[in-house]
Amino acid sequence: MPAPFDSPLFWLLAVIGVIITGISKSGFAGGAGVLAVPLMALVIPLPMATVIMLPVLLFMDVKTIQIYRKHASVETLKRIVPAALVGIVLGGLVMGMLSNSALELITGAISIVFASWQHVSGALRRFQQAGWFWGTVSGITSTLIHAGGPPINVYFLGRELAKLQWLGTAAVLFGVMNLVKVVPYSLNGFWEVRLLWISLAMVPAAWIGVQLGHTIQKRFDGETFTRICRVLLVVSGTGLVVKGLFF
């Protein structure tokens, strides 16, 4: 397998990103799970990074659904899933039309915005109850860079869900979304056998992340963890903007 997959830097960034994503998904409803794709995209083309992460995310979804499915809010899922599916369709169309440099610029910008998401979401609180708005945004960002967590968390915040209900609803929602995303990825011709092998190699890191997240959420509120992820997002997002503009 040719470079950059032979590069220790790729594997270091990928493993870090996958573990943090697992912690985020099972412990904090996916809010910081946006990190893995920007980190890997610093070394490999962004579409490859998104493809590698999708099977890994599906594995994480199975584990988190097993843990939290009893706490999922069916009423909330009925409101948000249709909008998320619309967002996935729109994201799939955009993904097929943009160049790799454009995707890197968009990913970098989204990463930087999500790094300050607490302030952004506070300014947009008037949209909290708008399930169609946040669901569609989540579907688009999830399709482009697997970053559906922050938008949907703003909606969940407005619903005032209890922590376990929040985690259970997010687990089922992202399980549905990631399964549906197989379709636009296939239509855009992104799948490669070598990328699936890399995804398989990431499964142990994904398992570790999910287990850590389940343990951490019982003991911490996640503020320190989220703060660290925001710093990493700014760094990786800035790197992607520079890469998209000059390389």
Side-chain angles (χ1 to χ4, degrees):
M1 187 172 293
F5 298 116
D6 289 337
S7 166
L9 178 60
F10 165 75
W11 289 102
L12 175 64
L13 294 175
V15 169
I16 290 173
V18 167
I19 289 177
I20 289 177
T21 299
I23 293 172
S24 179
K25 283 180 72 67
S26 65
F28 307 103
V34 61
L35 184 60
V37 170
L39 281 178
M40 284 194 282
L42 292 172
V43 184
I44 64 174
L46 191 142
M48 286 187 177
T50 57
V51 170
I52 289 170
M53 276 304 296
L54 185 53
V56 178
L57 289 171
L58 287 169
F59 170 81
M60 293 179 183
D61 291 331
V62 171
K63 301 301 292 183
T64 51
I65 289 172
Q66 287 176 346
I67 295 170
Y68 297 115
R69 65 183 183 278
K70 294 181 180 179
H71 303 284
S73 168
V74 176
E75 178 186 353
T76 302
L77 288 169
K78 286 180 179 178
R79 293 182 180 183
I80 206 74
V81 167
L85 296 180
V86 171
I88 290 171
V89 172
L90 295 175
L93 293 173
V94 171
M95 180 180 285
M97 295 167 55
L98 296 176
S99 67
N100 191 60
S101 293
L103 283 172
E104 287 172 345
L105 286 171
I106 291 172
T107 302
I110 291 174
S111 299
I112 294 169
V113 168
F114 283 178
S116 57
W117 189 255
Q118 184 177 9
H119 305 292
V120 175
S121 63
L124 299 176
R125 283 283 174 92
R126 62 183 179 275
F127 291 117
Q128 283 182 119
Q129 301 301 327
W132 274 99
F133 175 82
W134 290 116
T136 302
V137 172
S138 179
I140 293 171
T141 56
S142 180
T143 303
L144 290 177
I145 60 167
H146 303 311
I152 216 66
N153 283 351
V154 177
Y155 177 71
F156 285 177
L157 196 62
R159 299 283 298 167
E160 298 183 350
L161 299 179
K163 182 174 73 169
L164 288 178
Q165 191 177 43
W166 187 315
L167 289 166
T169 306
V172 175
L173 173 64
F174 289 121
V176 172
M177 289 174 65
N178 287 327
L179 189 60
V180 173
K181 279 152 55 177
V182 172
V183 176
Y185 280 41
S186 299
L187 293 176
N188 282 302
F190 286 165
W191 295 112
E192 295 181 32
V193 174
R194 63 173 180 165
L195 300 184
L196 294 176
W197 280 111
I198 294 171
S199 299
L200 184 62
M202 297 293 178
V203 168
W207 183 86
I208 291 171
V210 170
Q211 296 303 315
L212 285 174
H214 182 48
T215 301
I216 289 172
Q217 67 86 17
K218 298 176 181 178
R219 303 177 182 179
F220 303 102
D221 59 11
E223 289 185 9
T224 301
F225 172 75
T226 302
R227 198 176 299 120
I228 293 170
C229 289
R230 283 178 180 153
V231 172
L232 292 173
L233 269 179
V234 170
V235 173
S236 59
T238 302
L240 282 175
V241 170
V242 172
K243 187 180 176 185
L245 286 174
F246 302 109
F247 297 97

PDB file of all heavy atoms in Angstrom, residues 41-69:
ATOM      1  N   ALA A  41      -7.264  14.174   7.261  1.00  0.00           N
ATOM      2  CA  ALA A  41      -7.204  14.919   6.007  1.00  0.00           C
ATOM      3  C   ALA A  41      -5.972  15.819   5.910  1.00  0.00           C
ATOM      4  O   ALA A  41      -5.682  16.352   4.838  1.00  0.00           O
ATOM      5  CB  ALA A  41      -8.469  15.756   5.825  1.00  0.00           C
ATOM      6  N   LEU A  42      -5.258  15.987   7.020  1.00  0.00           N
ATOM      7  CA  LEU A  42      -3.988  16.707   6.948  1.00  0.00           C
ATOM      8  C   LEU A  42      -2.934  15.890   6.202  1.00  0.00           C
ATOM      9  O   LEU A  42      -1.947  16.443   5.711  1.00  0.00           O
ATOM     10  CB  LEU A  42      -3.475  17.015   8.362  1.00  0.00           C
ATOM     11  CG  LEU A  42      -4.298  18.025   9.180  1.00  0.00           C
ATOM     12  CD1 LEU A  42      -3.783  18.084  10.610  1.00  0.00           C
ATOM     13  CD2 LEU A  42      -4.258  19.405   8.531  1.00  0.00           C
ATOM     14  N   VAL A  43      -3.137  14.575   6.103  1.00  0.00           N
ATOM     15  CA  VAL A  43      -2.150  13.677   5.513  1.00  0.00           C
ATOM     16  C   VAL A  43      -2.652  13.024   4.223  1.00  0.00           C
ATOM     17  O   VAL A  43      -1.882  12.799   3.302  1.00  0.00           O
ATOM     18  CB  VAL A  43      -1.747  12.576   6.523  1.00  0.00           C
ATOM     19  CG1 VAL A  43      -0.646  11.689   5.950  1.00  0.00           C
ATOM     20  CG2 VAL A  43      -1.295  13.192   7.844  1.00  0.00           C
ATOM     21  N   ILE A  44      -3.962  12.725   4.158  1.00  0.00           N
ATOM     22  CA  ILE A  44      -4.530  12.059   2.984  1.00  0.00           C
ATOM     23  C   ILE A  44      -5.653  12.918   2.406  1.00  0.00           C
ATOM     24  O   ILE A  44      -6.152  13.828   3.069  1.00  0.00           O
ATOM     25  CB  ILE A  44      -5.075  10.658   3.360  1.00  0.00           C
ATOM     26  CG1 ILE A  44      -6.236  10.780   4.351  1.00  0.00           C
ATOM     27  CG2 ILE A  44      -3.972   9.778   3.919  1.00  0.00           C
ATOM     28  CD1 ILE A  44      -6.924   9.456   4.652  1.00  0.00           C
ATOM     29  N   PRO A  45      -6.079  12.656   1.160  1.00  0.00           N
ATOM     30  CA  PRO A  45      -7.203  13.395   0.586  1.00  0.00           C
ATOM     31  C   PRO A  45      -8.458  13.254   1.442  1.00  0.00           C
ATOM     32  O   PRO A  45      -8.735  12.176   1.979  1.00  0.00           O
ATOM     33  CB  PRO A  45      -7.397  12.734  -0.788  1.00  0.00           C
ATOM     34  CG  PRO A  45      -6.055  12.200  -1.132  1.00  0.00           C
ATOM     35  CD  PRO A  45      -5.458  11.741   0.174  1.00  0.00           C
ATOM     36  N   LEU A  46      -9.205  14.325   1.552  1.00  0.00           N
ATOM     37  CA  LEU A  46     -10.345  14.352   2.445  1.00  0.00           C
ATOM     38  C   LEU A  46     -11.382  13.270   2.133  1.00  0.00           C
ATOM     39  O   LEU A  46     -11.905  12.628   3.059  1.00  0.00           O
ATOM     40  CB  LEU A  46     -10.995  15.745   2.428  1.00  0.00           C
ATOM     41  CG  LEU A  46     -12.031  15.998   3.510  1.00  0.00           C
ATOM     42  CD1 LEU A  46     -11.922  17.406   4.027  1.00  0.00           C
ATOM     43  CD2 LEU A  46     -13.438  15.732   2.988  1.00  0.00           C
ATOM     44  N   PRO A  47     -11.749  13.029   0.860  1.00  0.00           N
ATOM     45  CA  PRO A  47     -12.720  11.955   0.599  1.00  0.00           C
ATOM     46  C   PRO A  47     -12.272  10.604   1.136  1.00  0.00           C
ATOM     47  O   PRO A  47     -13.098   9.815   1.614  1.00  0.00           O
ATOM     48  CB  PRO A  47     -12.829  11.941  -0.933  1.00  0.00           C
ATOM     49  CG  PRO A  47     -12.475  13.334  -1.345  1.00  0.00           C
ATOM     50  CD  PRO A  47     -11.411  13.757  -0.384  1.00  0.00           C
ATOM     51  N   MET A  48     -10.968  10.312   1.072  1.00  0.00           N
ATOM     52  CA  MET A  48     -10.466   9.056   1.635  1.00  0.00           C
ATOM     53  C   MET A  48     -10.691   9.002   3.143  1.00  0.00           C
ATOM     54  O   MET A  48     -11.064   7.961   3.692  1.00  0.00           O
ATOM     55  CB  MET A  48      -8.974   8.900   1.335  1.00  0.00           C
ATOM     56  CG  MET A  48      -8.641   8.536  -0.083  1.00  0.00           C
ATOM     57  SD  MET A  48      -6.861   8.196  -0.249  1.00  0.00           S
ATOM     58  CE  MET A  48      -6.801   7.714  -1.987  1.00  0.00           C
ATOM     59  N   ALA A  49     -10.470  10.130   3.810  1.00  0.00           N
ATOM     60  CA  ALA A  49     -10.648  10.179   5.258  1.00  0.00           C
ATOM     61  C   ALA A  49     -12.103   9.916   5.637  1.00  0.00           C
ATOM     62  O   ALA A  49     -12.384   9.183   6.597  1.00  0.00           O
ATOM     63  CB  ALA A  49     -10.194  11.529   5.801  1.00  0.00           C
ATOM     64  N   THR A  50     -13.038  10.497   4.894  1.00  0.00           N
ATOM     65  CA  THR A  50     -14.448  10.282   5.213  1.00  0.00           C
ATOM     66  C   THR A  50     -14.857   8.834   4.967  1.00  0.00           C
ATOM     67  O   THR A  50     -15.625   8.257   5.734  1.00  0.00           O
ATOM     68  CB  THR A  50     -15.341  11.222   4.378  1.00  0.00           C
ATOM     69  OG1 THR A  50     -15.093  11.019   2.983  1.00  0.00           O
ATOM     70  CG2 THR A  50     -15.083  12.675   4.731  1.00  0.00           C
ATOM     71  N   VAL A  51     -14.328   8.232   3.896  1.00  0.00           N
ATOM     72  CA  VAL A  51     -14.657   6.840   3.597  1.00  0.00           C
ATOM     73  C   VAL A  51     -14.087   5.906   4.659  1.00  0.00           C
ATOM     74  O   VAL A  51     -14.759   4.967   5.110  1.00  0.00           O
ATOM     75  CB  VAL A  51     -14.143   6.448   2.193  1.00  0.00           C
ATOM     76  CG1 VAL A  51     -14.270   4.947   1.971  1.00  0.00           C
ATOM     77  CG2 VAL A  51     -14.918   7.196   1.119  1.00  0.00           C
ATOM     78  N   ILE A  52     -12.855   6.134   5.066  1.00  0.00           N
ATOM     79  CA  ILE A  52     -12.242   5.297   6.098  1.00  0.00           C
ATOM     80  C   ILE A  52     -13.053   5.351   7.391  1.00  0.00           C
ATOM     81  O   ILE A  52     -13.254   4.330   8.065  1.00  0.00           O
ATOM     82  CB  ILE A  52     -10.789   5.748   6.363  1.00  0.00           C
ATOM     83  CG1 ILE A  52      -9.895   5.370   5.172  1.00  0.00           C
ATOM     84  CG2 ILE A  52     -10.246   5.125   7.651  1.00  0.00           C
ATOM     85  CD1 ILE A  52      -8.512   5.987   5.233  1.00  0.00           C
ATOM     86  N   MET A  53     -13.569   6.530   7.728  1.00  0.00           N
ATOM     87  CA  MET A  53     -14.264   6.690   9.002  1.00  0.00           C
ATOM     88  C   MET A  53     -15.670   6.104   9.010  1.00  0.00           C
ATOM     89  O   MET A  53     -16.166   5.720  10.079  1.00  0.00           O
ATOM     90  CB  MET A  53     -14.347   8.173   9.380  1.00  0.00           C
ATOM     91  CG  MET A  53     -13.117   8.706  10.088  1.00  0.00           C
ATOM     92  SD  MET A  53     -12.694   7.781  11.594  1.00  0.00           S
ATOM     93  CE  MET A  53     -14.127   8.090  12.625  1.00  0.00           C
ATOM     94  N   LEU A  54     -16.333   5.996   7.852  1.00  0.00           N
ATOM     95  CA  LEU A  54     -17.729   5.571   7.872  1.00  0.00           C
ATOM     96  C   LEU A  54     -17.916   4.156   8.451  1.00  0.00           C
ATOM     97  O   LEU A  54     -18.748   3.970   9.350  1.00  0.00           O
ATOM     98  CB  LEU A  54     -18.347   5.678   6.480  1.00  0.00           C
ATOM     99  CG  LEU A  54     -19.848   5.371   6.408  1.00  0.00           C
ATOM    100  CD1 LEU A  54     -20.633   6.203   7.414  1.00  0.00           C
ATOM    101  CD2 LEU A  54     -20.380   5.607   4.992  1.00  0.00           C
ATOM    102  N   PRO A  55     -17.173   3.127   7.994  1.00  0.00           N
ATOM    103  CA  PRO A  55     -17.334   1.812   8.632  1.00  0.00           C
ATOM    104  C   PRO A  55     -16.962   1.828  10.111  1.00  0.00           C
ATOM    105  O   PRO A  55     -17.574   1.110  10.916  1.00  0.00           O
ATOM    106  CB  PRO A  55     -16.374   0.916   7.825  1.00  0.00           C
ATOM    107  CG  PRO A  55     -16.211   1.601   6.514  1.00  0.00           C
ATOM    108  CD  PRO A  55     -16.242   3.059   6.841  1.00  0.00           C
ATOM    109  N   VAL A  56     -15.969   2.641  10.474  1.00  0.00           N
ATOM    110  CA  VAL A  56     -15.575   2.748  11.884  1.00  0.00           C
ATOM    111  C   VAL A  56     -16.720   3.335  12.704  1.00  0.00           C
ATOM    112  O   VAL A  56     -17.025   2.868  13.807  1.00  0.00           O
ATOM    113  CB  VAL A  56     -14.301   3.613  12.019  1.00  0.00           C
ATOM    114  CG1 VAL A  56     -13.914   3.776  13.484  1.00  0.00           C
ATOM    115  CG2 VAL A  56     -13.147   3.006  11.236  1.00  0.00           C
ATOM    116  N   LEU A  57     -17.366   4.356  12.156  1.00  0.00           N
ATOM    117  CA  LEU A  57     -18.497   4.973  12.842  1.00  0.00           C
ATOM    118  C   LEU A  57     -19.660   3.995  12.985  1.00  0.00           C
ATOM    119  O   LEU A  57     -20.348   3.973  14.011  1.00  0.00           O
ATOM    120  CB  LEU A  57     -18.954   6.224  12.087  1.00  0.00           C
ATOM    121  CG  LEU A  57     -18.008   7.429  12.146  1.00  0.00           C
ATOM    122  CD1 LEU A  57     -18.464   8.518  11.187  1.00  0.00           C
ATOM    123  CD2 LEU A  57     -17.918   7.977  13.569  1.00  0.00           C
ATOM    124  N   LEU A  58     -19.887   3.194  11.949  1.00  0.00           N
ATOM    125  CA  LEU A  58     -20.962   2.197  12.025  1.00  0.00           C
ATOM    126  C   LEU A  58     -20.687   1.187  13.145  1.00  0.00           C
ATOM    127  O   LEU A  58     -21.614   0.779  13.857  1.00  0.00           O
ATOM    128  CB  LEU A  58     -21.110   1.492  10.677  1.00  0.00           C
ATOM    129  CG  LEU A  58     -21.759   2.335   9.568  1.00  0.00           C
ATOM    130  CD1 LEU A  58     -21.616   1.645   8.216  1.00  0.00           C
ATOM    131  CD2 LEU A  58     -23.236   2.586   9.879  1.00  0.00           C
ATOM    132  N   PHE A  59     -19.432   0.798  13.300  1.00  0.00           N
ATOM    133  CA  PHE A  59     -19.066  -0.086  14.405  1.00  0.00           C
ATOM    134  C   PHE A  59     -19.363   0.597  15.746  1.00  0.00           C
ATOM    135  O   PHE A  59     -19.939  -0.010  16.663  1.00  0.00           O
ATOM    136  CB  PHE A  59     -17.590  -0.466  14.316  1.00  0.00           C
ATOM    137  CG  PHE A  59     -17.068  -1.174  15.532  1.00  0.00           C
ATOM    138  CD1 PHE A  59     -17.295  -2.534  15.711  1.00  0.00           C
ATOM    139  CD2 PHE A  59     -16.362  -0.483  16.516  1.00  0.00           C
ATOM    140  CE1 PHE A  59     -16.823  -3.192  16.847  1.00  0.00           C
ATOM    141  CE2 PHE A  59     -15.886  -1.132  17.647  1.00  0.00           C
ATOM    142  CZ  PHE A  59     -16.119  -2.490  17.809  1.00  0.00           C
ATOM    143  N   MET A  60     -18.967   1.861  15.863  1.00  0.00           N
ATOM    144  CA  MET A  60     -19.229   2.600  17.096  1.00  0.00           C
ATOM    145  C   MET A  60     -20.724   2.733  17.351  1.00  0.00           C
ATOM    146  O   MET A  60     -21.192   2.651  18.498  1.00  0.00           O
ATOM    147  CB  MET A  60     -18.597   3.995  17.015  1.00  0.00           C
ATOM    148  CG  MET A  60     -17.093   4.016  16.988  1.00  0.00           C
ATOM    149  SD  MET A  60     -16.509   5.733  16.857  1.00  0.00           S
ATOM    150  CE  MET A  60     -14.737   5.481  16.751  1.00  0.00           C
ATOM    151  N   ASP A  61     -21.492   2.938  16.284  1.00  0.00           N
ATOM    152  CA  ASP A  61     -22.937   3.082  16.434  1.00  0.00           C
ATOM    153  C   ASP A  61     -23.553   1.822  17.031  1.00  0.00           C
ATOM    154  O   ASP A  61     -24.427   1.889  17.907  1.00  0.00           O
ATOM    155  CB  ASP A  61     -23.589   3.370  15.071  1.00  0.00           C
ATOM    156  CG  ASP A  61     -23.240   4.742  14.533  1.00  0.00           C
ATOM    157  OD1 ASP A  61     -23.002   5.658  15.343  1.00  0.00           O
ATOM    158  OD2 ASP A  61     -23.187   4.898  13.304  1.00  0.00           O
ATOM    159  N   VAL A  62     -23.130   0.666  16.546  1.00  0.00           N
ATOM    160  CA  VAL A  62     -23.646  -0.596  17.076  1.00  0.00           C
ATOM    161  C   VAL A  62     -23.376  -0.693  18.579  1.00  0.00           C
ATOM    162  O   VAL A  62     -24.263  -1.057  19.377  1.00  0.00           O
ATOM    163  CB  VAL A  62     -23.021  -1.805  16.337  1.00  0.00           C
ATOM    164  CG1 VAL A  62     -23.400  -3.113  17.040  1.00  0.00           C
ATOM    165  CG2 VAL A  62     -23.483  -1.838  14.889  1.00  0.00           C
ATOM    166  N   LYS A  63     -22.157  -0.347  18.983  1.00  0.00           N
ATOM    167  CA  LYS A  63     -21.791  -0.438  20.397  1.00  0.00           C
ATOM    168  C   LYS A  63     -22.574   0.561  21.249  1.00  0.00           C
ATOM    169  O   LYS A  63     -23.062   0.216  22.329  1.00  0.00           O
ATOM    170  CB  LYS A  63     -20.287  -0.195  20.563  1.00  0.00           C
ATOM    171  CG  LYS A  63     -19.392  -1.173  19.810  1.00  0.00           C
ATOM    172  CD  LYS A  63     -19.632  -2.600  20.243  1.00  0.00           C
ATOM    173  CE  LYS A  63     -19.180  -2.880  21.657  1.00  0.00           C
ATOM    174  NZ  LYS A  63     -19.360  -4.292  22.061  1.00  0.00           N
ATOM    175  N   THR A  64     -22.687   1.806  20.778  1.00  0.00           N
ATOM    176  CA  THR A  64     -23.388   2.820  21.575  1.00  0.00           C
ATOM    177  C   THR A  64     -24.892   2.547  21.622  1.00  0.00           C
ATOM    178  O   THR A  64     -25.535   2.803  22.641  1.00  0.00           O
ATOM    179  CB  THR A  64     -23.126   4.233  21.026  1.00  0.00           C
ATOM    180  OG1 THR A  64     -23.400   4.271  19.614  1.00  0.00           O
ATOM    181  CG2 THR A  64     -21.688   4.643  21.249  1.00  0.00           C
ATOM    182  N   ILE A  65     -25.465   2.020  20.537  1.00  0.00           N
ATOM    183  CA  ILE A  65     -26.887   1.658  20.555  1.00  0.00           C
ATOM    184  C   ILE A  65     -27.128   0.530  21.550  1.00  0.00           C
ATOM    185  O   ILE A  65     -28.128   0.532  22.281  1.00  0.00           O
ATOM    186  CB  ILE A  65     -27.371   1.272  19.145  1.00  0.00           C
ATOM    187  CG1 ILE A  65     -27.438   2.528  18.262  1.00  0.00           C
ATOM    188  CG2 ILE A  65     -28.746   0.603  19.203  1.00  0.00           C
ATOM    189  CD1 ILE A  65     -27.719   2.233  16.796  1.00  0.00           C
ATOM    190  N   GLN A  66     -26.211  -0.425  21.595  1.00  0.00           N
ATOM    191  CA  GLN A  66     -26.335  -1.511  22.578  1.00  0.00           C
ATOM    192  C   GLN A  66     -26.350  -0.974  24.005  1.00  0.00           C
ATOM    193  O   GLN A  66     -27.095  -1.461  24.861  1.00  0.00           O
ATOM    194  CB  GLN A  66     -25.184  -2.501  22.413  1.00  0.00           C
ATOM    195  CG  GLN A  66     -25.288  -3.385  21.175  1.00  0.00           C
ATOM    196  CD  GLN A  66     -24.066  -4.285  21.011  1.00  0.00           C
ATOM    197  OE1 GLN A  66     -23.031  -4.077  21.662  1.00  0.00           O
ATOM    198  NE2 GLN A  66     -24.165  -5.265  20.139  1.00  0.00           N
ATOM    199  N   ILE A  67     -25.550   0.047  24.251  1.00  0.00           N
ATOM    200  CA  ILE A  67     -25.426   0.585  25.607  1.00  0.00           C
ATOM    201  C   ILE A  67     -26.624   1.452  25.987  1.00  0.00           C
ATOM    202  O   ILE A  67     -27.150   1.360  27.097  1.00  0.00           O
ATOM    203  CB  ILE A  67     -24.123   1.406  25.737  1.00  0.00           C
ATOM    204  CG1 ILE A  67     -22.900   0.502  25.557  1.00  0.00           C
ATOM    205  CG2 ILE A  67     -24.059   2.101  27.101  1.00  0.00           C
ATOM    206  CD1 ILE A  67     -21.587   1.264  25.441  1.00  0.00           C
ATOM    207  N   TYR A  68     -27.102   2.304  25.040  1.00  0.00           N
ATOM    208  CA  TYR A  68     -28.053   3.360  25.404  1.00  0.00           C
ATOM    209  C   TYR A  68     -29.428   3.253  24.747  1.00  0.00           C
ATOM    210  O   TYR A  68     -30.265   4.141  24.955  1.00  0.00           O
ATOM    211  CB  TYR A  68     -27.456   4.731  25.027  1.00  0.00           C
ATOM    212  CG  TYR A  68     -26.192   5.084  25.765  1.00  0.00           C
ATOM    213  CD1 TYR A  68     -24.984   5.221  25.079  1.00  0.00           C
ATOM    214  CD2 TYR A  68     -26.193   5.298  27.138  1.00  0.00           C
ATOM    215  CE1 TYR A  68     -23.809   5.560  25.741  1.00  0.00           C
ATOM    216  CE2 TYR A  68     -25.032   5.639  27.818  1.00  0.00           C
ATOM    217  CZ  TYR A  68     -23.846   5.765  27.119  1.00  0.00           C
ATOM    218  OH  TYR A  68     -22.697   6.096  27.778  1.00  0.00           O
ATOM    219  N   ARG A  69     -29.701   2.202  23.974  1.00  0.00           N
ATOM    220  CA  ARG A  69     -30.930   2.173  23.177  1.00  0.00           C
ATOM    221  C   ARG A  69     -32.199   2.302  24.022  1.00  0.00           C
ATOM    222  O   ARG A  69     -33.207   2.878  23.565  1.00  0.00           O
ATOM    223  CB  ARG A  69     -30.996   0.891  22.349  1.00  0.00           C
ATOM    224  CG  ARG A  69     -31.115  -0.390  23.147  1.00  0.00           C
ATOM    225  CD  ARG A  69     -31.100  -1.620  22.249  1.00  0.00           C
ATOM    226  NE  ARG A  69     -31.276  -2.865  22.998  1.00  0.00           N
ATOM    227  CZ  ARG A  69     -30.311  -3.495  23.632  1.00  0.00           C
ATOM    228  NH1 ARG A  69     -29.070  -2.990  23.620  1.00  0.00           N
ATOM    229  NH2 ARG A  69     -30.548  -4.620  24.286  1.00  0.00           N
TER     230      ARG A  69
END
